[in-house]
Amino acid sequence: MSRVAPESVERVRAAADIVEIISGHTELRRRGARWTGLCPFHEERTPSFSVDPTANLYYCFGCQAGGDVFSFLQEKEGLDFRQAVEQLADRSGVALNYESRDPAEDARRRDRERLHELLAKTASFYARYLWESAEAKRARAYLQERGLGREVLSEFGVGYAPSAWDRVLVSALGAGYSEDELRAAGLIQQGRRGGFYDRFRGRVMFPLRDARGRVLGFGARALQESRPPKYVNSPESSIYHKGRSLFGLDLARPHATKAGQVIVVEGYTDVLALHQAGMKNSVASMGTALTEEQIAELARLASVVLLAFDADRSGQEAMLRAHRAAGKRRLDLKVLRLPDDKDPCDLLNEGGPEAFVQHLEGALSFLEFQVHTVIDRADLTSSTGKDRALAELGPVFAAAEPSAERDEQLRYVADRLDLSEHLLAPLMARPRRFERGDSSPARVGDAARQGERWERIFLAMCVSAGGLGREYLARLEDDHLSSDVLRRARAWILEHFDSPTASLAGTDEELAQAVSEIVVRSSGQRVERHALEVGFLGLERRRLERAIKTAGSAGDFERQHKLAVQRSETTEAIARLMGGDDAYPASPRRASGTERSDGGDET
């Protein structure tokens, strides 16, 4: 498989503004040479997230997420390294060179680029035709009736396909594209007699774009109700997969990630109307059935998903399916209860943005939506109908965590079904949970063990101290560090001391995060030999304490005694260095100077 050439990666890295990119996900404020803010990877109230634009690095001191501009996009938007580089290259206007490893893959890449180019030119043609042709007058009137202005229509690239049978076909062939390419792009189809003609004719055209803004295909709406089907999409192809696409994704992404929530509607014009009204964190599922791939894409956008689907039964069932898929990704799914026969575009046209905002503010939790959905469609006039409602609600309540909201919904059910609370006991049953430690995996990005904290700080001091710090790194041995990742980080920094982050892209994620944290910690520090010596002796004392424990467990009391003497000498050395020096920061003193009666490590 071909890869982006290293020199291209470095050009993209140099051109990308890491502060601007991360600011699309969280608000940053300048603090000296750094920028700080709330971490976009975990919930927090006190900012612990730091960005160093000079080193092109970020790090969170709370959850330990860290890396460079590429790893940020990989982590936040679910991209692989190559996709992150390509997305930033598009954004920065950097042309990429690729290293060929597989000629067949290179050929496929060139073919995909040709299809993207063809689709982009076709979209531009449709957009011009909408505004310049007399034939598109009816389409312009339809869009105006929907309350959509030219600015938002142009932003989304909305166009119109001529009614002629071969306008796109002839133009594209004249521009040097082949029939095979036009068919692969889904722009033409074969007739019964073997010839080809345009797939889209006499329809309003909505370009379907990926997160990078590249056109993948089209959604096309008929203007004549008597001309079924009402909507036609591009066929599945090597670059377009309907189940993975969200309409408006490229334009909604920065707004959704910054807001922490995304609005999902069903139709193209609903998205356009919401963006026009200022609610730019909106996308469309292009149908009610959200797929696993679309849910995954939504999870990369925001942690809160607001579903604004039709109030009919199919819309409700689609939301239930979405909830099952969202549960695997810990998404907070909420539901807007829209009036019957009203879609978001209708609400905005009739009541303005305020009308839709009211529905947003009144969004139901998914538990409340499920309960109301079951109760609203139940036959509450018969005991059989009530029993069926209870049977449906059993799994709903069993899956809900204990909370005030759960109790409130139980009371609501009791009131609506006119039942005493003891009859609701089956609904209150909870499935047996595993014991703590078996029930849930470790959280990604948990804080490092407290025992490693000073080791990380000392490594950062070494980076900050230049050549003197390099000497202390060389004095360290593996036994001074309590984890494998810090041992590898120390070796990496020592080997790449002049530029420890320059080649991190090809390393494993754990090492990259550790090195990134250490380098971010190092910036802005003023470290002298005195501080380094105290820090080194603190690590030496901790190493001796671990060795004393090991010798005691092995019954080697002679070695244990010798190590204890060395520990006392090290402690005295620290005390001499620290004596009367009030200018030295308190954290090294705490990390290396306090004895414990049990001989254990300080935590």
Side-chain angles (χ1 to χ4, degrees):
M1 180 178 178
S2 61
R3 68 171 187 172
V4 182
E7 60 270 19
S8 291
V9 173
E10 293 310 312
R11 285 201 306 272
V12 174
R13 191 195 308 276
D17 185 338
I18 190 171
V19 173
E20 177 192 357
I21 289 162
I22 294 179
S23 292
H25 298 260
T26 187
E27 183 178 352
L28 297 176
R29 295 184 179 181
R30 189 170 194 125
R31 294 279 182 87
R34 299 187 197 172
W35 295 75
T36 62
L38 297 176
C39 179
F41 297 102
H42 79 287
E43 293 184 9
E44 62 178 3
R45 295 182 180 179
T46 303
S48 61
F49 186 77
S50 179
V51 181
D52 184 338
T54 303
N56 191 31
L57 292 173
Y58 67 91
Y59 187 77
C60 175
F61 293 94
C63 73
Q64 292 197 312
D68 61 9
V69 67
F70 301 124
S71 62
F72 183 85
L73 287 180
Q74 288 178 262
E75 182 71 21
K76 193 62 183 171
E77 300 187 7
L79 308 176
D80 60 29
F81 178 72
R82 174 171 162 170
Q83 289 170 332
V85 173
E86 290 175 338
Q87 181 166 309
L88 283 173
D90 287 346
R91 185 168 180 165
S92 306
V94 176
L96 296 178
N97 295 321
Y98 291 83
E99 291 183 343
S100 178
R101 290 184 175 182
D102 181 354
E105 170 59 25
D106 284 346
R108 288 191 291 271
R109 179 176 55 80
R110 288 193 296 270
D111 289 344
R112 288 193 297 271
E113 288 174 353
R114 287 272 295 178
L115 294 184
H116 284 303
E117 180 185 76
L118 170 58
L119 287 162
K121 290 181 177 179
T122 306
S124 296
F125 167 71
Y126 288 149
R128 289 195 307 272
Y129 201 82
L130 172 65
W131 300 109
E132 297 174 2
S133 71
E135 180 189 354
K137 180 179 180 180
R138 185 174 177 184
R140 293 192 293 270
Y142 161 75
L143 295 167
Q144 185 177 10
E145 289 170 5
R146 296 292 284 164
L148 302 173
R150 182 161 183 167
E151 182 177 350
V152 72
L153 292 168
S154 298
E155 183 181 23
F156 279 81
V158 177
Y160 183 76
S163 56
W165 285 83
D166 57 0
R167 184 70 179 270
V168 169
L169 172 63
V170 172
S171 297
L173 291 175
Y177 295 96
S178 67
E179 288 183 344
D180 285 342
E181 288 176 319
L182 283 159
R183 186 163 48 175
L187 295 174
I188 62 173
Q189 58 190 26
Q190 193 167 19
R192 295 177 182 175
R193 298 181 180 179
F196 291 99
Y197 60 91
D198 292 355
R199 176 181 295 275
F200 305 112
R201 303 181 311 281
R203 290 176 177 266
V204 178
M205 302 298 293
F206 299 92
L208 309 176
R209 303 187 289 218
D210 65 9
R212 294 169 58 183
R214 298 177 301 180
V215 180
L216 307 178
F218 295 93
R221 189 194 191 281
L223 291 176
Q224 301 175 12
E225 299 294 337
S226 59
R227 184 183 176 186
K230 185 176 181 179
Y231 284 99
V232 174
N233 282 343
S234 291
E236 296 280 314
S237 70
S238 61
I239 60 174
Y240 174 64
H241 305 278
K242 182 180 179 182
R244 301 177 192 171
S245 299
L246 291 166
F247 179 68
L249 173 64
D250 57 318
L251 298 174
R253 180 181 292 280
H255 305 284
T257 53
K258 194 161 190 176
Q261 61 182 26
V262 56
I263 304 167
V264 185
V265 294
E266 293 181 46
Y268 306 116
T269 56
D270 294 330
V271 171
L272 290 163
L274 286 168
H275 276 250
Q276 183 174 259
M279 286 164 272
K280 297 179 180 292
N281 57 326
S282 306
V283 297
S285 62
M286 298 180 292
T288 54
L290 278 169
T291 66
E292 290 277 354
E293 290 93 341
Q294 288 171 323
I295 290 289
E297 191 65 61
L298 292 171
R300 287 190 282 269
L301 287 178
S303 59
V304 178
V305 176
L306 298 156
L307 299 179
F309 287 176
D310 286 350
D312 58 19
R313 191 179 184 97
S314 64
Q316 291 177 346
E317 290 175 351
M319 287 185 275
L320 289 169
R321 290 196 298 272
H323 180 251
R324 286 191 288 271
K328 303 173 185 177
R329 300 181 180 276
R330 302 192 177 214
L331 279 176
D332 182 6
L333 211 60
K334 297 183 182 294
V335 178
L336 279 67
R337 301 201 78 182
L338 302 180
D340 292 341
D341 301 324
K342 298 290 183 185
D343 59 28
C345 192
D346 294 330
L347 285 174
L348 289 165
N349 280 335
E350 295 175 7
E354 298 80 9
F356 192 81
V357 169
Q358 286 182 358
H359 288 281
L360 276 178
E361 293 174 346
L364 306 178
S365 70
F366 212 82
L367 175 60
E368 186 176 1
F369 165 73
Q370 287 177 295
V371 170
H372 282 248
T373 297
V374 172
I375 295 297
D376 289 348
R377 69 189 184 200
D379 176 11
L380 304 184
T381 63
S382 69
S383 58
T384 301
K386 292 180 181 180
D387 286 342
R388 286 176 180 166
L390 288 173
E392 281 191 72
L393 289 171
V396 172
F397 281 100
E401 296 293 333
S403 64
E405 182 193 11
R406 186 175 184 272
D407 291 343
E408 181 181 336
Q409 293 306 312
L410 280 167
R411 289 192 295 272
Y412 172 77
V413 172
D415 180 63
R416 289 297 307 273
L417 299 185
D418 194 23
L419 296 174
S420 61
E421 291 194 12
H422 78 275
L423 290 177
L424 294 181
L427 295 185
M428 304 172 89
R430 299 275 299 148
R432 181 179 177 273
R433 300 286 183 183
F434 293 107
E435 293 298 321
R436 185 175 180 180
D438 298 330
S439 60
S440 59
R443 290 175 53 194
V444 175
D446 278 342
R449 298 191 310 272
Q450 289 188 0
E452 292 183 6
R453 182 169 54 190
W454 172 240
E455 298 168 17
R456 292 172 181 265
I457 293 172
F458 181 74
L459 291 175
M461 290 166 62
C462 291
V463 173
S464 181
L468 183 61
R470 189 201 297 258
E471 293 178 17
Y472 275 89
L473 280 177
R475 287 176 63 184
L476 285 178
E477 299 176 1
D478 283 351
D479 287 349
H480 284 111
L481 302 171
S482 58
S483 71
D484 177 65
V485 67
L486 289 186
R487 296 182 194 109
R488 292 191 292 128
R490 172 249 177 193
W492 175 274
I493 293 170
L494 190 57
E495 182 180 353
H496 305 82
F497 193 83
D498 293 330
S499 185
T501 62
S503 305
L504 274 178
T507 64
D508 65 88
E509 182 180 354
E510 188 179 35
L511 175 63
Q513 287 187 353
V515 173
S516 298
E517 175 208 349
I518 291 162
V519 174
V520 169
R521 281 185 186 272
S522 72
S523 62
Q525 291 193 40
R526 179 176 175 271
V527 181
E528 298 178 355
R529 181 182 293 274
H530 177 93
L532 285 168
E533 185 66 19
V534 172
F536 178 81
L537 290 174
L539 296 188
E540 174 67 5
R541 182 179 183 279
R542 293 172 62 84
R543 182 187 71 82
L544 290 168
E545 287 176 343
R546 289 192 290 268
I548 287 169
K549 289 181 180 179
T550 301
S553 299
D556 190 346
F557 301 112
E558 182 179 354
R559 174 170 170 74
Q560 188 180 40
H561 174 71
K562 290 180 180 179
L563 292 169
V565 171
Q566 292 177 37
R567 182 182 65 178
S568 296
E569 293 172 347
T570 302
T571 302
E572 290 174 5
I574 292 172
R576 286 195 299 271
L577 285 168
M578 297 294 290
D581 188 355
D582 296 330
Y584 189 74
S587 56
R589 185 191 301 268
R590 291 195 303 269
S592 57
T594 304
E595 294 267 8
R596 285 176 45 161
S597 59
D598 61 359
D601 290 348
E602 179 194 4
T603 57

